[in-house]
Amino acid sequence: MTEPTSVRVDVWLWAVRVYKTRSAATTAIRGGHVRVNGDPVKASHSVKVGDEVRARIAGFDKILGVQKLLLKRVGAPIAATAYEDRTPPPPPREFVAPIVHRERGLGRPTKRERREIDRLTGRESRDRP
């Protein structure tokens, strides 16, 4: 059997396991979450070896370079050889102060406790210069 020269973008995204189902890939494409070589496309658009596919998943863009065309869904190790992952690493997470938890029934914090809470959370006290 000969190697295909192009494949539908929804089929390729499903075959390389970017989306769990082909209909999920089609829905994402219709929603404008998939671009091929920077252009928004339809589900029937053909991808070729060398194209760049951007798929927005969970708020982040996954950038994939097409290295091999697949018509059927394959195992994860084989699917990983069909694309080159060009996604930049995620930005480092900023430190978030832990939420101060008070036990139930202790009532409102005293002035001293409020200042300690403000100091722990990094907020400046309003009544002191």
Side-chain angles (χ1 to χ4, degrees):
M1 188 167 163
T2 62
E3 185 86 15
T5 57
S6 64
V7 177
R8 287 174 54 115
V9 67
D10 61 339
V11 172
W12 187 81
L13 287 169
W14 165 74
V16 296
R17 298 173 167 263
V18 174
Y19 292 101
K20 198 169 187 175
T21 63
R22 185 172 165 194
S23 63
T26 304
T27 303
I29 293 167
R30 280 193 195 132
H33 300 290
V34 176
R35 293 176 173 263
V36 176
N37 297 327
D39 299 324
V41 294
K42 292 185 176 183
S44 61
H45 184 82
S46 297
V47 292
K48 297 176 269 319
V49 174
D51 285 349
E52 180 181 87
V53 178
R54 287 178 178 255
R56 181 167 284 275
I57 301 170
F60 296 101
D61 278 348
K62 190 168 189 171
I63 304 168
L64 306 171
V66 179
Q67 290 189 333
K68 190 175 175 184
L69 299 175
L70 298 174
L71 293 170
K72 299 282 185 181
R73 192 167 170 99
V74 294
I78 298 170
T81 64
Y83 62 87
E84 175 190 0
D85 193 359
R86 300 176 187 164
T87 308
R93 289 183 163 205
E94 294 182 15
F95 174 73
V96 178
I99 298 173
V100 179
H101 178 72
R102 290 180 51 84
E103 296 295 324
R104 286 184 64 95
L106 290 179
R108 292 175 55 180
T110 63
K111 189 173 192 178
R112 180 179 179 187
E113 290 171 338
R114 170 60 62 201
R115 286 182 178 155
E116 289 175 2
I117 291 170
D118 286 344
R119 188 172 40 82
L120 285 173
T121 57
R123 293 185 291 191
E124 292 293 324
S125 179
R126 294 182 207 130
D127 57 347
R128 291 193 292 169

